[in-house]
Structure formats: structure tokens, C-alpha cells
Amino acid sequence: MHRWLVALIIAMGGAAGAAASGLERVPAVSHPATAKECGECHMAFQPALLPTGSWLRITDGLADHFGEDASLPADLAASIRAYLAANAGRSGDPKVTRITEQSWFAKEHRFRASVWQRPEIKTKSNCLACHPRAEQGDYDDD
Amino acid sequence: MNRPLLLATALTAVAMAAVAAEPARDAIVAAYSQLATSENPAFSGFSAARGERLYLGPHTGGNTETPACATCHTADPRASGRHVKTGRAIEPMAVSVNPRRFTDAVDVEKRFARDCPNVLGRPCTAAEKGDFITFLINR
């Protein structure tokens, strides 16, 4: 389907395709500090991909961030925390910090284990490996 | 504007941008040099060869997944690297292909503070930081 047509359908209040997750198009990261600091080691994930509680857990624990030290000066961390929380998604389990462990993610990504192990993919969180426009918040690839 | 003139203007702008980026890098190296002298009075200047050994490793003492800076930054500093855990591409480290390298003191310090413990199991000394940058300025 043409991109403009999809946009038109959404604008008219219709549902586009198999929009089960409701996350096929999410607003791009619009906070420069978040784009910079959270986009260094991996793509800066869009706030709509996790609920507020998950973002608070993540931004309160940056010194031990999935085994990495991602700590930031307090004022910078606070401004990123506020941006992510204010723009968080409405669905998902706030106790789960990984996007890739949310139940919607599992439903949308039922692939054989061998797919995840491909060297160019490396990890489930490497959205860009499969969604070329992921940095714009576009996960609608068909 | 005619074409040659436009081109000349563009080239001047590029040349100026390249020159303008250098004082920032020089200042970073100078600050590490001063710090290295205060850490070790016998310090006698940075060495690209020592920087290359730091870059290539392999080292022990850090995270077993990251035995060298080259693990993520790639063995050829002129090539794009790749974060070993996330798969994210990392722009080349060599200043010759990526002139924006080592021009923001805050970013540089932040990354040394994260990356050295991952690889070495300890922070880098000021001498090591200067060696590392010197190696990459020469690449």
C-alpha cells in the first residue's frame, strides 16, 4: 500500500492493515538529549514503546543498565526521564523494562530461534536490522 | 551565482569547518597532557604506538565480551564499528575519515569513563587517553 494512502486512512479514522499492536507508527524521538544520550549504544527507542513505569525503572537505574554503565549527570538524566515518562505508551507491563519482553512484542515477532541468531541481527533489540525506518518510529514495513 | 564560484565557496566552507574543529581537539589533548604530568612526573609525551596497543588489545581484566577497544570500534579505525552487544553501527574513529572525532570534551570523557572499565576493568589514565587520541589523529 502507498504510504500516503495509509496516512490518509489513518487520518480518516480508519485502521490500517493488521494494526494489532497499535505501534506500527509511533512519534519519533523529539527530545534532543534523549536522541543523543540514549542513541549512542543502540537506537534511541521511542517513548511510546514502553509504559511510564518501565521508563522510570530504566532512567532510575542507568548505572547498571542491562550490564552497562549508562549513567548521566543528574540534570540530564532528569530531563530525559521527564520526556520519556510524559510521552510513554499506554500499553505494556510497567514492571518489565525490556520492549522485547513485552507481550505485544512476542505476538508480533514469532520467529524461529535461528532468525534471532543471525549475525546481522545479533539481538532482538536491534530493531533497525529489520525495520529500516525504525529511527523515525515507522515499524510498518509492508 | 555561477557554478565554479559556488563550488569554491562550498570548498572554503568545508576547509574552514575542518580547521575550526581542530582547536577543540588540540585543547583536549593539551588538557590530558597536563593531567598526565601531574599523575606521573616522568611523563614525556604521548605515543601513537602505545595508543595502538591499547586500541587493539587483547586485554584481560575487563568484560570478557570486550577484550579490546577494537571489539566495538573495529580493528581498522578507518572503518565503521559495531557495538558488540546491541549491533548498533559506530562511526569510524580515525580523525582522517571522521573529523568530528575528539572535538567535544564532555563526550570524550564520558565515553572513556564507560569504555575503559569495560575493556580494562579500570579507568584509563590521562596518558592512555592521550595515547589513544594521538594514535587516531595519525590514522
Side-chain angles (χ1 to χ4, degrees):
Chain A
M1 214 189 297
H2 280 293
R3 221 134 286 293
W4 60 267
L5 192 56
V6 176
L8 187 67
I9 292 169
I10 293 170
M12 282 164 31
S21 66
L23 294 169
E24 61 282 354
R25 287 285 167 98
V26 295
V29 174
S30 61
H31 183 247
T34 302
K36 177 170 188 285
E37 303 298 340
C38 304
E40 243 177 43
C41 301
H42 45 65
M43 180 192 97
F45 302 114
Q46 291 83 17
L49 296 173
L50 285 173
T52 304
S54 308
W55 287 125
L56 297 182
R57 278 167 198 264
I58 288 175
T59 47
D60 287 342
L62 289 177
D64 184 6
H65 178 75
F66 304 96
E68 293 279 309
D69 178 4
S71 49
L72 292 168
D75 52 339
L76 202 52
S79 108
I80 291 173
R81 183 183 199 268
Y83 166 73
L84 291 170
N87 294 281
R90 281 180 300 273
S91 56
D93 182 346
K95 291 189 294 299
V96 173
T97 52
R98 278 192 186 268
I99 298 160
T100 55
E101 285 173 5
Q102 296 291 346
S103 56
W104 68 264
F105 189 93
K107 272 188 223 117
E108 296 283 353
H109 299 87
R110 296 188 202 279
F111 309 143
R112 274 169 285 123
S114 61
V115 171
W116 298 120
Q117 279 144 20
R118 295 234 290 268
E120 69 276 18
I121 293 172
K122 223 164 196 143
T123 166
K124 290 184 183 181
S125 71
N126 189 5
C127 322
L128 272 171
C130 306
H131 300 286
R133 293 177 306 279
E135 284 193 281
Q136 289 82 54
D138 182 355
Y139 298 97
D140 182 16
D141 302 327
D142 30 45
Chain B
M1 216 189 295
N2 66 27
R3 231 163 232 272
L5 190 60
L6 194 71
L7 186 67
T9 315
L11 284 177
T12 314
V14 168
M16 273 163 55
V19 172
E22 282 176 17
R25 192 180 306 116
D26 291 348
I28 290 172
V29 174
Y32 283 136
S33 170
Q34 232 177 7
L35 212 61
T37 313
S38 69
E39 282 177 4
N40 172 15
F43 170 75
S44 63
F46 295 127
S47 146
R50 279 198 308 262
E52 182 169 22
R53 286 198 292 277
L54 172 62
Y55 186 93
L56 290 176
H59 304 281
T60 51
N63 195 321
T64 48
E65 271 178 286
T66 51
C69 312
T71 310
C72 292
H73 291 298
T74 189
D76 174 4
R78 290 197 197 124
S80 285
R82 195 161 182 238
H83 194 289
V84 72
K85 286 191 192 160
T86 66
R88 173 98 159 134
I90 303 176
E91 285 179 22
M93 291 299 270
V95 171
S96 62
V97 291
N98 189 357
R100 279 173 306 152
R101 280 296 175 205
F102 316 113
T103 53
D104 181 321
V106 174
D107 279 348
V108 168
E109 246 320 279
K110 180 183 69 188
R111 285 310 315 195
F112 274 131
R114 283 178 185 159
D115 293 344
C116 292
N118 264 347
V119 173
L120 305 173
R122 60 164 176 82
C124 285
T125 63
E128 286 170 325
K129 293 174 188 175
D131 289 344
F132 184 82
I133 297 177
T134 302
F135 165 58
L136 293 161
I137 287 175
N138 287 311
R139 278 306 162 112

